[in-house]
Amino acid sequence: MESARIVGALARYTGDFALAEDLAQEALAEALVSWAVDGVPAQPTGWLLTVGRRRAIDSFRRRAARDDRYALLARDLEETQPGVDALFDPGAIDDDVLALMFVSCHPVLSREARIALTLRVVGGLTSDEIARAFLVPVPTIQARITRAKKTLSAARVPFAVPEPTERGERLGSVLQVVYLIFSEGSFASTGDTWMRTDLADEALRLARVLVRLAPEPEAFGLLALMELTAARFPARMDADGEPVLLEDQDRRLWDTAAIRRGRAALAHAASAGRGLGAYGLQASIAECHAVASSVAETDWNRIVLLYDALAQLAPSPVVELNRAVAVAMAVGPAAGVALVDAMIERGELAGSSLLPATRGELLARLGRRDAAAAALEEALALSPSPSERTAIVAKLDRLRSG
């Protein structure tokens, strides 16, 4: 939970991104041994940071005993010097997380490497989770992350939030990382839970800081999307932790304050007069759901138009699939099935459970129960998430019992 903040503080302290991550891992390894004997300290984050900085001193000693940087560190690290631990106050390192994100999204890296590295180090996602987000093999992601760390080290990238004039070229990558972290929190791709609200909450915190740091329309569009999506969190799981689909949710549980914040952020994004970007368009779709009293009362025709615009601006198979669902709601399930079948013929989202799961639901609405069951069985076999498989099994049970 604190890994990004610890790595961020140590990166600022040492000026070496790769070393900071190694130091954080060494501190954790020491904690696993020490805490088992002595118990967990009252301030575990501070304990880890203290161990990390001591390991940093040892590292610099080994590298060059007479190095000027070591001499400076040694002078500053006198235990009796007032304020020496101020840099390691857990309550004072929030901005280090954002700085770490901007460092990871440095333009010296390719866009794919920036996002993969930041998701791993800042977001704390596993290589498996990142690979699923990119729809690429796990070894590809691992290689990108390794190369990115070496590139940052070789380029001697300084640890700092860049000046305003330098933020623009990194902002797009930072926004995408925050979005992917939030997406993993909203729909956990691994584990036994349907959502990871701690991850989504951290992404929301970062988005709120970002709109202050870089008040661009697309930053407000992303914040709007996340607020409007998070507003539905209280209704998305039942008392047993089982998922509740949109059509079955008690909308009285939706967070009206989050909806107001999201709509305000969306209005701010639109007020720039440049047209909405990809996040703003998705936020507009989320707004359609937020203001509707039920699934039946939702403005599905407007949602289809918004997906049309999104497909032009940021085309992807997932956008196409969501558009197919919207078309099914606006026109009828047969039209949605035709669009999904066309995607299958083109080989899109091959190996993903999303296509067969969606196709199964649409076929069930058409009354084609056997075909729907076959599609859901295929989705069940492809799904990597226990919570998603639980939801699919529930759909199969309803289909067979109905």
Side-chain angles (χ1 to χ4, degrees):
M1 290 174 63
E2 297 291 337
S3 62
R5 297 181 180 184
I6 293 170
V7 172
L10 292 173
R12 172 162 52 85
Y13 186 72
T14 63
D16 189 325
F17 179 90
L19 175 61
E21 191 174 20
D22 290 342
L23 293 171
Q25 291 174 354
E26 290 177 14
L28 179 60
E30 185 170 330
L32 291 174
V33 176
S34 177
W35 294 0
V37 177
D38 302 327
V40 178
Q43 297 292 334
T45 302
W47 190 98
L48 290 166
L49 286 167
T50 299
V51 172
R53 92 177 160 179
R54 288 173 180 162
R55 293 294 181 94
I57 297 170
D58 292 341
S59 176
F60 286 130
R61 281 193 179 118
R62 288 193 299 269
R63 289 182 183 182
R66 299 181 184 275
D67 187 89
D68 290 340
R69 179 166 57 171
Y70 166 66
L72 179 62
L73 281 172
R75 185 178 70 247
D76 290 344
L77 283 172
E78 290 295 332
E79 294 294 340
T80 58
Q81 184 174 338
V84 69
D85 285 330
L87 289 176
F88 301 97
D89 179 2
I93 61 175
D94 283 351
D95 287 345
D96 285 344
V97 178
L98 197 58
L100 184 61
M101 186 171 288
F102 271 101
V103 170
S104 301
C105 289
H106 195 280
V108 73
L109 303 176
S110 69
R111 183 175 179 84
E112 292 80 6
R114 296 180 204 175
I115 296 169
L117 176 63
T118 315
L119 287 172
R120 182 71 188 92
V121 177
V122 182
L125 303 190
T126 66
S127 296
D128 287 348
E129 291 165 345
I130 300 169
R132 276 191 284 274
F134 276 98
L135 303 176
V136 298
V138 172
T140 300
I141 289 298
Q142 292 172 333
R144 285 180 188 174
I145 293 171
T146 300
R147 286 196 301 268
K149 291 178 182 178
K150 291 180 179 178
T151 300
L152 287 177
S153 179
R156 298 185 179 275
V157 173
F159 180 83
V161 175
E163 295 298 320
T165 55
E166 301 175 354
R167 291 173 192 162
E169 59 185 340
R170 308 190 202 184
L171 183 60
S173 296
V174 171
L175 291 175
Q176 188 170 1
V177 167
V178 173
Y179 172 69
L180 290 173
I181 293 172
F182 182 81
S183 296
E184 178 63 26
S186 302
F187 298 94
S189 61
T190 59
D192 296 328
T193 182
W194 182 247
M195 296 188 297
R196 296 172 61 183
T197 52
D198 58 332
L199 206 58
D201 288 344
E202 175 64 7
L204 255 173
R205 186 191 71 79
L206 290 170
R208 290 167 182 154
V209 174
L210 269 173
V211 296
R212 295 195 298 271
L213 187 69
E216 296 294 325
E218 194 65 337
F220 277 98
L222 176 59
L223 179 60
L225 171 60
M226 292 164 63
E227 291 280 15
L228 290 166
T229 302
R232 301 200 295 266
F233 283 1
R236 284 190 55 211
M237 290 194 299
D238 63 19
D240 298 322
E242 298 299 327
V244 180
L245 301 180
L246 180 63
E247 56 265 32
D248 300 322
Q249 289 176 14
D250 182 352
R251 299 188 177 215
R252 294 171 298 179
L253 298 177
W254 288 3
D255 187 341
T256 55
I259 292 172
R260 286 195 299 270
R261 291 194 299 269
R263 299 188 75 186
L266 181 57
H268 197 290
S271 67
R274 302 182 217 165
L276 293 173
Y279 299 122
L281 289 171
Q282 291 178 77
S284 296
I285 293 169
E287 184 184 41
C288 289
H289 292 296
V291 300
S293 59
S294 67
V295 169
E297 295 298 321
T298 303
D299 190 347
W300 291 103
N301 288 313
R302 173 171 167 73
I303 290 177
V304 171
L305 292 175
L306 289 167
Y307 272 121
D308 287 341
L310 185 60
Q312 292 293 318
L313 189 61
S316 79
V318 174
V319 170
E320 289 185 54
L321 183 59
N322 287 332
R323 180 183 178 277
V325 173
V327 168
M329 297 301 298
V331 180
V337 170
L339 292 173
V340 171
D341 285 346
M343 292 182 66
I344 293 174
E345 290 178 10
R346 294 193 296 268
E348 296 178 355
L349 291 175
S352 169
S353 62
L354 295 175
L355 269 177
T358 303
R359 189 172 186 271
E361 288 190 38
L362 297 179
L363 288 170
R365 293 179 190 177
L366 286 172
R368 296 170 57 183
R369 306 172 73 85
D370 291 342
L376 290 173
E377 289 283 3
E378 180 184 353
L380 185 63
L382 292 171
S383 175
S385 167
S387 56
E388 182 182 345
R389 289 197 293 271
T390 298
I392 294 173
V393 168
K395 293 176 185 177
L396 280 166
D397 289 343
R398 287 197 299 268
L399 185 66
R400 289 161 176 161
S401 63

